[in-house]
Amino acid sequence: MSSIATFRMTHVSPLKAARILAVLWALSGLVVGFFAQIPDWMRDAMGWMFVIYPLGYALFGFLLTLWTAWCYNGIARRLGGIEWTARVPGPVGAVQPIRTALLDISKLQAAKLMAALYLIFSVPAALLASIPYWAEDSTLAWSTVLLLPLGYTVFGFLFTLVEAWVYNGLAARIGGIEFEVVPVASADGAGIAQA
């Protein structure tokens, strides 16, 4: 027998999250550094962007994630954390916080969700970005309105797919992001926990 329950994330392990996200940021920095390096290669110059960017991104990602997790933990203590609903095996009762780790992300589901979010958020951004072009060149304005959401949606899907794949590989080797959850309620109204 399974039940539907609502959970609240009350704590994120800052160090675990920072380690994993530093690697993901470093991979992003490698891609950006590669493209930033192209002009140097075209001039037959040796540049270090493909080294500097990943290191800088990794350090930035590590520190930003530490700070974000620390802030989240403080806010979650005062206001409550993020809530979500999930199917769980067996009945849900009022229990103590459960410490768990995110070990696997459904790559396709995460990519579809992020693509949809990128599409929703990029349409207003594209409309705003096209405003300066309407007076001068309506072709450029329409291109912005149509291509910006399309690009965000496609690249959002592809990058999330790759990031989820990388995350799953990292989580299998060094462990996933650890956090605490508390059951808040179940679908039948039983199992309401005091947060």
Side-chain angles (χ1 to χ4, degrees), residues 29-158:
L30 189 62
V31 171
V32 172
F34 173 79
F35 285 108
Q37 187 66 50
I38 290 173
D40 285 340
W41 287 333
M42 291 173 72
R43 292 189 312 261
D44 291 328
M46 180 60 188
W48 293 97
M49 296 299 180
F50 64 96
V51 174
I52 293 169
Y53 274 70
L55 293 175
Y57 272 50
L59 180 61
F60 178 75
F62 184 84
L63 295 174
L64 180 66
T65 305
L66 276 178
W67 180 76
T68 303
W70 178 78
C71 289
Y72 178 86
N73 292 339
I75 292 168
R77 255 194 317 274
R78 289 166 185 74
L79 303 177
I82 296 171
E83 292 186 3
W84 71 91
T85 302
R87 182 174 306 280
V88 294
V92 176
V95 297
Q96 297 299 317
I98 303 164
R99 187 159 195 85
T100 188
L102 180 59
L103 300 177
D104 186 73
I105 296 173
S106 172
K107 295 177 282 300
L108 188 58
Q109 181 62 26
K112 289 189 305 188
L113 177 65
M114 290 307 294
L117 288 172
Y118 274 114
L119 177 63
I120 290 166
F121 290 123
S122 66
V123 169
L127 291 172
L128 288 173
S130 70
I131 290 172
Y133 304 122
W134 285 109
E136 299 171 16
D137 183 4
S138 65
T139 304
L140 188 55
W142 278 113
S143 297
T144 303
V145 169
L146 297 174
L147 294 178
L148 193 67
L150 179 67
Y152 268 97
T153 303
V154 169
F155 284 107
F157 179 87
L158 294 174

